[in-house]
Amino acid sequence: MSKISMVVEKQFALAEVDDRLFSSFIEHLGRAVYSGIYEPGHPTADGQGFRKDVIELVRDLGVCLVRYPGGNFLSGYDWTDGIGPRADRPRRLDLAWRTIEPNEIGIDEFVDWAKKANVGVMAAVNMGTGTPKEAGEMLEYCNFRGGTYWSDLRKKNGHAEPYGIKTWCVGNEMDGPWQICHLDAADYGKKARETAKIMKWIDDKIDLVVCGSATSLMATYPEWDRVVLEHTYEHIDYLSLHRYYENLGNDADFLASFVDMDRFIKSVASTVDYVKSLKRSTKTVNLSFDEWNVWYQQKQTRFDWEVAPPILEDQYSLLDALVFGGMGITLLNNADRVKVACLAQLVNVIAPIFTKKGGGVIKQSTYYPFRDISKYGRGTVLKPVIAAPTIETCYGDAPVLAVSVVDNGVGANGTGDISVFCLNIDQGKSHQLDLDFRSFGKVKMTMRQELSGPDQDLKNTFESPERVVPVAKAVAGGEAESFALEMSPRSWNVIRFSYAGK
Ligand code: AHR
């Protein structure tokens, strides 16, 4: 067991965490909407057909925004198919996922669901088959107060008040040849710029996210990002990035995914700053990591023209949850540039919440690390000053411990809280983390929790829904300026401390 010291210095503030870092994603894909969030006739369905058992878990996760309606689906979607009387809505082929879209749910119902689930909406406009004009019309429908064709149509459809949707994605993964009406970087850049101008003229309070690279593995990355930004820089607010990881047979490499994600974020930020310099701009464009997760992309099944078939229903193991936790640490430790991050996705489709049609709902293993960072990761991230031994992986040398520390701030009772998240990627050995809190004075440990276990392949199922759950560990008594904590092999840990606010 090695001893790894970390100085938790109050003055080493990296950034305030934006609440939108704990966002997620619902696409019209598989059973995310139909028999996910919406299932009329289900025993827990409310008057609109929304599953209350799912809403309860979404609330428990503390999700901030939910990106909607896609994803690859977006690039062929006509948003007007999803408004107005249900009986008049068309059934359409969805070319992205080879399914049939019944359009029972559209933007109006989704906004209603979001209110019930206590989340905000991050809307997306179609840059594949869609036009800048249609993007503007959707925004007018959603956010304009009234007295125009589209805003009055919203009122006629039962929503008198504008939705005030603030964050908008200008398309999805437009660099991907798989995208419906994929464009090259210059063509997308010009289309996104003109769309952004229209959208900001309609509502100058919105934030716009342009498509960066669909993954760091794209041959066009990071050139795509540079070209898109050269066309759009002064008109947009965020650049998106997406990345999924899967176990390709080497557990050590898989556990080190957080190292690669960190490198990806830093290189995209550098690309943004290069364009900032080129433009002699004083404005900083930040990042929206609006799709991240573990996803077994090699194991996809093909479906043919069904309504809501079980697409991308990955079942997550303990090992997947640990990798996922590492990615959460990377997001927190880059909170100075990443302001929005969406766990893709939320229900059924590569998701922490998994339902049975007509039946129950379970929490997948990844539910827990997401809830941990969302619940305890708010406040100020402190710079992770730590030197840990490393393990050799396909991503280079990976520190055995990934750590993020968040000063949650001082509450009304005069007491402050500090939350420490730690992933031990060493599969065989414990490591001791020596935390030095001197700058906070004496602190008191208030909570300690671990997600670990001898069988890394264990998954939660409907029959045994609590096989992979965090367990409470003994809390060290007394107050001290430093604490030594043993981190079990292959474990995800949350440790909290309180301090006296001054
Ligand atoms: O989240 C699943 C898919 O992954 C999304 O539709 C797409 O944007 C990405 O490639």
Side-chain angles (χ1 to χ4, degrees):
M1 179 167 75
S2 58
K3 293 186 180 185
I4 298 162
S5 343
M6 180 171 183
V7 177
V8 180
E9 167 58 59
K10 209 176 188 168
Q11 303 302 322
F12 292 174
L14 175 78
E16 283 299 303
V17 179
D18 192 313
D19 285 347
R20 295 174 301 170
L21 203 70
F22 311 110
S23 296
S24 190
F25 178 28
I26 289 277
E27 178 170 0
H28 281 254
L29 157 57
R31 299 194 306 115
V33 173
Y34 306 109
S35 81
I37 63 168
Y38 172 75
E39 192 180 336
H42 186 272
T44 73
D46 69 8
Q48 282 184 288
F50 294 127
R51 285 184 63 151
K52 286 197 272 190
D53 54 350
V54 172
I55 286 177
E56 198 182 307
L57 295 187
V58 175
R59 282 171 164 260
D60 181 53
L61 279 176
V63 175
C64 180
L65 300 180
V66 179
R67 184 167 172 251
Y68 174 86
N72 296 340
F73 170 79
L74 176 71
S75 296
Y77 180 53
D78 181 344
W79 70 274
T80 62
D81 288 345
I83 57 170
R86 276 217 175 98
D88 299 341
R89 296 187 194 176
R91 283 163 71 89
R92 300 268 192 211
L93 294 182
D94 165 26
L95 304 182
W97 299 104
R98 295 179 65 81
T99 56
I100 292 175
E101 171 54 50
N103 281 307
E104 281 177 48
I105 295 290
I107 186 67
D108 293 323
E109 292 83 15
F110 191 74
V111 166
D112 288 344
W113 175 82
K115 279 198 188 112
K116 291 174 180 178
N118 204 19
V119 301
V121 176
M122 177 179 184
V125 294
N126 176 354
M127 287 288 102
T129 60
T131 63
K133 177 172 174 280
E134 287 159 6
E137 289 166 351
M138 181 180 177
L139 175 63
E140 182 184 327
Y141 181 88
C142 291
N143 283 13
F144 202 71
R145 59 184 178 270
T148 65
Y149 176 79
W150 291 105
S151 56
D152 284 345
L153 190 56
R154 181 198 68 238
K155 292 186 178 197
K156 189 173 157 216
N157 289 337
H159 290 81
E161 292 305 318
Y163 298 149
I165 298 173
K166 184 159 167 63
T167 313
W168 291 77
C169 301
V170 186
N172 175 72
E173 293 187 351
M174 293 306 296
D175 58 327
W178 60 86
Q179 210 63 219
I180 302 167
C181 296
H182 151 71
L183 297 171
D184 68 25
D187 286 345
Y188 169 67
K190 288 179 212 157
K191 186 171 180 179
R193 180 191 62 217
E194 295 310 307
T195 305
K197 281 160 59 184
I198 290 176
M199 292 180 78
K200 292 234 172 171
W201 282 329
I202 294 169
D203 183 350
D204 61 7
K205 291 190 183 60
I206 57 172
D207 287 337
L208 293 177
V209 184
V210 276
C211 299
S213 290
T215 138
S216 48
L217 304 174
M218 297 297 290
T220 47
Y221 156 78
E223 189 58 5
W224 165 277
D225 307 65
R226 178 190 68 78
V227 175
V228 168
L229 286 172
E230 282 200 33
H231 286 283
T232 57
Y233 201 86
E234 293 302 341
H235 301 277
I236 56 94
D237 306 281
Y238 299 95
L239 178 72
S240 81
L241 55 165
H242 295 174
R243 188 68 166 96
Y244 296 94
Y245 293 91
E246 66 189 298
N247 192 345
L248 296 170
N250 182 320
D251 295 348
D253 290 346
F254 186 41
L255 280 160
S257 300
F258 71 94
V259 172
D260 186 62
M261 189 187 194
D262 184 70
R263 191 172 301 137
F264 184 31
I265 293 171
K266 291 191 164 69
S267 66
V268 173
S270 314
T271 309
V272 172
D273 293 344
Y274 170 72
V275 179
K276 179 180 179 181
S277 309
L278 274 182
K279 300 263 174 198
R280 279 40 174 178
S281 178
T282 52
K283 163 178 157 179
T284 299
V285 165
N286 281 318
L287 307 183
S288 172
F289 210 127
D290 41 44
E291 290 188 32
W292 68 277
N293 202 349
V294 171
W295 173 14
Y296 286 86
Q297 299 197 45
Q298 312 292 323
K299 294 189 187 150
Q300 288 186 52
T301 317
R302 189 179 160 96
F303 291 89
D304 264 344
W305 313 121
E306 292 170 43
V307 175
I311 306 179
L312 312 189
E313 298 204 346
D314 287 10
Q315 304 298 301
Y316 292 115
S317 65
L318 168 62
L319 182 65
D320 297 325
L322 301 179
V323 171
F324 182 94
M327 295 171 82
I329 285 176
T330 287
L331 289 172
L332 285 168
N333 286 345
N334 286 282
D336 53 333
R337 289 312 290 267
V338 182
K339 300 296 170 184
V340 184
C342 303
L343 153 58
Q345 299 193 10
L346 185 57
V347 186
N348 290 339
V349 174
I350 45 172
I353 299 172
F354 193 69
T355 70
K356 191 179 269 181
K357 192 172 179 182
V361 61
I362 56 167
K363 299 169 186 158
Q364 293 231 51
S365 60
T366 51
Y367 185 96
Y368 297 102
F370 184 87
R371 188 176 64 180
D372 290 339
I373 58 170
S374 158
K375 204 166 169 185
Y376 302 123
R378 316 232 178 187
T380 307
V381 184
L382 303 179
K383 284 187 187 147
V385 185
I386 182 170
T390 56
I391 291 177
E392 209 181 302
T393 74
C394 68
Y395 302 120
D397 290 341
V400 285
L401 297 188
V403 184
S404 184
V405 180
V406 180
D407 177 0
N408 303 127
V410 178
N413 60 358
T415 302
D417 295 296
I418 303 166
S419 299
V420 179
F421 306 96
C422 178
L423 172 73
N424 180 0
I425 64 165
D426 195 319
Q427 300 176 72
K429 275 194 279 177
S430 293
H431 291 280
Q432 183 175 310
L433 179 62
D434 292 333
L435 292 169
D436 179 344
F437 291 105
R438 218 171 318 163
S439 61
F440 285 89
K442 286 192 171 170
V443 303
K444 193 173 163 3
M445 193 187 292
T446 53
M447 187 197 117
R448 183 162 182 194
Q449 183 191 285
E450 179 188 271
L451 186 67
S452 184
D455 182 357
Q456 64 174 31
D457 297 325
L458 220 54
K459 297 172 179 176
N460 292 335
T461 62
F462 284 101
E463 295 69 40
S464 306
E466 300 207 335
R467 279 186 183 149
V468 188
V469 289
V471 293
K473 292 194 73 172
V475 165
E479 293 189 350
E481 286 189 349
S482 62
F483 281 83
L485 305 164
E486 190 181 328
M487 302 294 166
S488 309
R490 228 183 27 213
S491 63
W492 163 257
N493 304 271
V494 184
I495 312 103
R496 300 193 78 215
F497 300 88
S498 67
Y499 63 92
K502 301 217 168 65

